[in-house]
Amino acid sequence: MAVGARSGHDGPEKRAGGAFGDDTAGGDVTGDEQAQPPGGGAPGGGAPGEGDDEAVRGPGRPPKKQRSFWKELPLLVGIALVLALLIKTFLVQAFSIPSESMMNTLQKGDRVLVDKLTPWFGSEPERGEVVVFHDPGGWLEGQETPKPNVVQKFLSFIGLMPSAEEKDLIKRVIAVGGDTVSCKEGGKVVLNGVALDESAYLAPGAVPCQDSFGPIKVPKDRIWVMGDNRQNSLDSRFHQQLPGGGTVSNDEVVGRAVVVAWPVTRWATLPVPDVFDQPALDKAMAAAPAGAAGLAGALPLVLWRRKKRAARHTAE
């Protein structure tokens, strides 16, 4: 005979543990229902943990439903757009090459990735780097520029497309603040008295300069830039009549181009050529201030000797 199969009119039944009382549900409770299953299962034969979940959400409440994918999609898209905007603003940005001025290093239509992070930590342009910079004023005057539509402008703004900004240029840094640069027609570019061998990156058949210029002393915090395709590049050489004398302020530099990202068949990094790693370039630049300081120090001595000699002749 089953335990607990008694009429509700009989006397109170002593439960396991010695407690007397009525069933909260108003029904009979068997010894099996009262016993705790091995392993900590919930009373009543439920699956382990089921009673705990009910205690958390409250008795009688249905389980929380998972959000629909279509409801979460706008949130995911919004997060992706914000991340893309932050990356484009502070880390890296894609730019499209609009001309042949940097051949063969860069072809027209190439997409390059530009490092925008290091300038935030005080990094300045260095010799030999390929940099993107804003038009200093008048460099692109009279040239046709692309006119992107609204969608292209938006995608460019958040960084999902190459920059649609028509006022950006890309060139190679030849000289930085304090350097002296010059070139004679058909000859090599001379930087701080050192003739540069630029054959590693100049376009085939290109001469370092077809017209003479300089010597030009690059002002502090400015750079002198030239394209690798020297016969087809309107660079610093052709803007010496503008404010800055053809040089570009470091503040106008967006960042350094580090990778050709598209097309995949042309994927390549853009390192600094070895010719710009010559210690002689820095020695020559340091020699100029030292020489000037020596001249300034010798000048009073020369004047004193001349004055003493003049006094001697007067006495005689």
Side-chain angles (χ1 to χ4, degrees):
M1 183 173 179
V3 178
R6 299 172 58 185
S7 169
H9 298 288
D10 295 336
E13 177 186 4
K14 185 175 181 180
R15 302 187 180 183
F20 292 89
D22 297 331
D23 177 28
T24 56
D28 294 332
V29 181
T30 68
D32 292 339
E33 289 174 334
Q34 291 181 0
Q36 183 74 15
E50 187 174 311
D52 296 339
D53 292 342
E54 183 176 344
V56 172
R57 66 174 181 263
R61 293 186 182 179
K64 188 175 181 181
K65 293 183 178 180
Q66 188 174 2
R67 287 186 180 180
S68 168
F69 169 77
W70 298 108
K71 290 182 179 180
E72 291 186 350
L73 183 60
L75 177 62
L76 296 175
V77 172
I79 293 174
L81 292 178
V82 171
L83 290 176
L85 180 59
L86 292 175
I87 291 172
K88 173 251 184 182
T89 303
F90 299 105
L91 300 180
V92 67
Q93 184 177 1
F95 285 84
S96 179
I97 306 304
S99 71
E100 300 175 348
S101 67
M102 284 295 293
M103 289 178 59
N104 281 341
T105 303
L106 299 173
Q107 305 283 353
K108 185 176 180 179
D110 284 352
R111 266 64 167 176
V112 298
L113 298 182
V114 174
D115 168 25
K116 302 178 71 174
L117 177 63
T118 51
W120 287 92
F121 294 94
S123 174
E124 296 185 350
E126 296 183 4
R127 307 183 195 108
E129 293 180 344
V130 177
V131 297
V132 171
F133 56 95
H134 300 309
D135 183 358
W139 284 43
L140 294 175
E141 186 176 350
Q143 296 188 33
E144 293 185 4
T145 53
K147 296 181 179 179
N149 56 39
V150 176
V151 175
Q152 290 174 324
K153 285 183 178 180
F154 174 74
L155 293 178
S156 173
F157 173 73
I158 62 176
L160 295 182
M161 278 188 65
S163 175
E165 175 60 61
E166 66 273 14
K167 298 298 183 182
D168 292 335
L169 302 96
I170 184 166
K171 305 291 179 189
R172 188 180 298 277
V173 179
I174 302 298
V176 296
D179 288 342
T180 300
V181 61
S182 64
C183 189
K184 294 190 179 296
E185 182 178 354
K188 293 182 177 182
V189 172
V190 178
L191 179 60
N192 295 336
V194 179
L196 301 181
D197 180 5
E198 302 183 274
S199 57
Y201 54 84
L202 288 186
V207 295
C209 60
Q210 64 269 39
D211 298 317
S212 300
F213 68 86
I216 295 170
K217 181 71 175 291
V218 181
K220 183 181 178 182
D221 297 328
R222 301 186 74 88
I223 55 176
W224 177 272
V225 297
M226 300 173 73
D228 290 354
N229 189 6
R230 296 289 162 81
Q231 277 69 45
N232 190 17
S233 176
L234 296 177
D235 46 42
S236 291
R237 298 169 294 167
F238 300 95
H239 300 98
Q240 298 181 54
Q241 76 284 2
L242 297 175
T247 61
V248 179
S249 171
N250 290 352
D251 293 336
E252 299 286 350
V253 176
V254 176
R256 174 188 172 186
V258 292
V259 172
V260 180
W262 187 263
V264 292
T265 54
R266 283 187 42 75
W267 189 94
T269 57
L270 298 171
V272 173
D274 293 340
V275 67
F276 292 98
D277 291 333
Q278 301 180 72
L281 296 177
D282 293 321
K283 289 180 180 179
M285 186 173 66
L295 179 60
L299 185 59
L301 179 61
V302 172
L303 293 176
W304 176 78
R305 291 184 62 183
R306 290 186 62 180
K307 184 176 180 181
K308 185 176 180 180
R309 187 180 300 172
R312 186 186 304 168
H313 286 304
T314 302
E316 293 175 353

